[in-house]
Amino acid sequence: MKIYSCETHINHALDVFVAEQEKFPIMEALSEEEKLSTKCTYCEEAALYIVANE
């Protein structure tokens, strides 16, 4: 599972991940290149973080 998140939705992304996967995720900042082309899962803002289990 991977969730891309902006600053506004990072807490929601973490909560959703824990609720669905029942374990704590890895949260990483996206590289500058990834930020340009990746949108937040919850809105149209540029994603700053990825919340994942890998």
Side-chain angles (χ1 to χ4, degrees):
M1 175 177 201
K2 292 182 182 180
I3 302 173
Y4 295 96
S5 177
C6 65
E7 190 73 39
T8 303
H9 292 109
I10 190 61
N11 289 330
H12 181 67
L14 291 168
D15 290 344
V16 168
F17 187 96
V18 171
E20 290 185 13
Q21 299 293 310
E22 297 181 350
K23 56 185 170 182
F24 199 75
I26 298 169
M27 183 181 100
E28 295 181 356
L30 293 175
S31 69
E32 291 301 318
E33 288 178 4
E34 290 174 308
K35 288 179 188 177
L36 295 175
S37 62
T38 308
K39 299 285 184 199
C40 175
T41 301
Y42 304 106
C43 69
E44 291 298 311
E45 295 293 318
L48 300 178
Y49 305 102
I50 183 170
V51 178
N53 55 358
E54 307 179 351

